[in-house]
Amino acid sequence: MAIPSLTLTEQAQMAMMLEVCAMTKPGNVDRGHDYPDTWLEHFLFSSLFCRTAFERAEMRAGTIGELIREATFLTGRHRGGNTHFGAFILLIPLIMGKGIEGACQCIKETSIEDAILFYDAFAHTAVRVQESDELDINDPLISDKLKERGMTLYDVMAHSAPQDMVAREWTVGFPLTRKAADLLKEDGRGREAVSSVFLWLLAEEPDTFIAKKFGNDRACQVRDQAIQVLAGQISHSEFDEYCIRESINPGSLADIMIAGLFVALIEGWEWDL
């Protein structure tokens, strides 16, 4: 009996699970440690709960804003808080577009209504935002402002891109997603490649989630420490222990890692070698 091929939905769910089950991902929930209120199980269950939104994305049965909102609401059925909002921002267009090239076309076709739906989803998360952002998710008039300015969801991402690397992936063609996927395929060690590629991402750019939480200097310091790990100057475990002790979690790069895993999987990377 022939083994059926995996659907895009299944590969996206696998990407989410592989990312959180990696060992070790400095500062983030993984097989080695939880956060006090957010556990490995919360991430795994979120990967299951979002299935119907992914299936609709695969069938192109909805818009990007609508499906990000649906995935966000579906994964709000546990007490672990937001686990994958940034990942949905990347995965939904990647699923709809069947990869990076198609995703780039899909996001350029987003509408003002997509932006409004995205902000509604955003308001139901605990995602950290810049306090000075003029497009405040807590502003009761945000929908009116988006309409007045004629801002599509792509425009919202372009507005956020200077301070948010997940949004920046949308506006510059998913370069870190592309690089993560390529590194996974080049490494060729299956699941063992995930932690090493994640470390490369940490060493490549300061994580904007860390910058929003602690300031850009701390984000740059974390990047520099990742570079030191790659150079063999400090150990991977020491870096992880430092991040956990200081409550530093590079969440934006974790979202990009998930997107890279998805692209690698749909391009033939084998996770269980």
Side-chain angles (χ1 to χ4, degrees):
M1 180 178 176
I3 299 174
S5 59
L6 293 169
T7 65
L8 294 173
T9 293
E10 290 166 337
Q11 289 168 311
Q13 290 178 290
M14 286 172 60
M16 294 167 69
M17 293 179 181
L18 283 166
E19 186 277 329
V20 76
C21 288
M23 186 77 176
T24 302
K25 304 194 323 293
N28 286 338
V29 170
D30 59 23
R31 284 187 289 137
H33 48 66
D34 298 319
Y35 298 149
D37 299 318
T38 309
W39 315 332
L40 174 69
E41 290 87 346
H42 291 128
F43 282 86
L44 293 174
F45 291 153
S46 289
S47 304
L48 298 174
F49 292 161
C50 65
R51 182 178 182 88
T52 56
F54 285 1
E55 288 175 333
R56 290 185 64 204
E58 187 168 354
M59 296 184 293
R60 301 291 290 269
T63 68
I64 290 179
E66 177 186 355
L67 294 173
I68 291 173
R69 180 180 182 273
E70 180 178 344
T72 304
F73 283 21
L74 285 170
T75 52
R77 292 181 287 175
H78 56 62
R79 296 186 178 91
N82 166 60
T83 53
H84 287 112
F85 184 65
F88 295 146
I89 295 171
L90 299 172
L91 285 175
I92 293 296
L94 286 168
I95 295 169
M96 293 179 75
K98 299 180 173 59
I100 290 175
E101 183 178 353
C104 289
Q105 182 60 41
C106 289
I107 61 181
K108 290 176 181 177
E109 297 171 357
T110 57
S111 66
I112 298 170
E113 183 62 23
D114 283 316
I116 293 170
L117 291 168
F118 171 79
Y119 267 88
D120 187 43
F122 204 165
H124 286 80
T125 72
V127 176
R128 190 173 294 272
V129 297
Q130 295 283 4
E131 293 181 2
S132 59
D133 195 334
E134 60 179 323
L135 295 177
D136 186 351
I137 62 169
N138 298 309
D139 185 346
L141 300 177
I142 187 62
S143 294
D144 293 335
K145 289 182 177 179
L146 292 169
K147 291 176 183 177
E148 288 169 6
R149 300 182 185 195
M151 294 184 73
T152 68
L153 183 50
Y154 182 87
D155 295 329
V156 168
M157 293 300 168
H159 169 83
S160 303
Q163 294 82 35
D164 190 299
M165 64 199 321
V166 171
R168 197 180 307 145
E169 287 290 284
W170 270 45
T171 60
V172 292
F174 295 81
L176 288 176
T177 299
R178 176 74 271 162
K179 185 63 177 179
D182 290 343
L183 287 173
L184 285 164
K185 293 189 293 182
E186 290 168 13
D187 189 292
R189 291 179 298 150
R191 68 173 187 172
E192 298 302 322
V194 179
S195 61
S196 62
V197 173
F198 183 67
L199 184 63
W200 178 89
L201 286 175
L202 282 171
E204 184 68 10
E205 289 193 31
D207 186 281
T208 50
F209 183 83
I210 297 174
K212 291 173 186 177
K213 188 175 180 180
F214 294 105
N216 192 60
D217 287 347
R218 178 63 70 88
C220 290
Q221 180 187 36
V222 172
R223 177 205 56 196
D224 293 344
Q225 286 181 297
I227 292 172
Q228 289 179 300
V229 176
L230 290 175
Q233 296 170 350
I234 59 176
S235 72
H236 206 146
S237 61
E238 287 174 327
F239 183 34
D240 183 39
E241 289 166 6
Y242 164 76
C243 290
I244 294 297
R245 185 172 64 251
E246 299 294 323
S247 299
I248 294 169
N249 55 310
S252 294
L253 287 170
D255 295 327
I256 292 170
M257 185 73 230
I258 290 171
L261 280 159
F262 172 71
V263 171
L265 285 165
I266 66 173
E267 292 179 349
W269 175 70
E270 297 182 51
W271 67 273
D272 57 348
L273 291 173

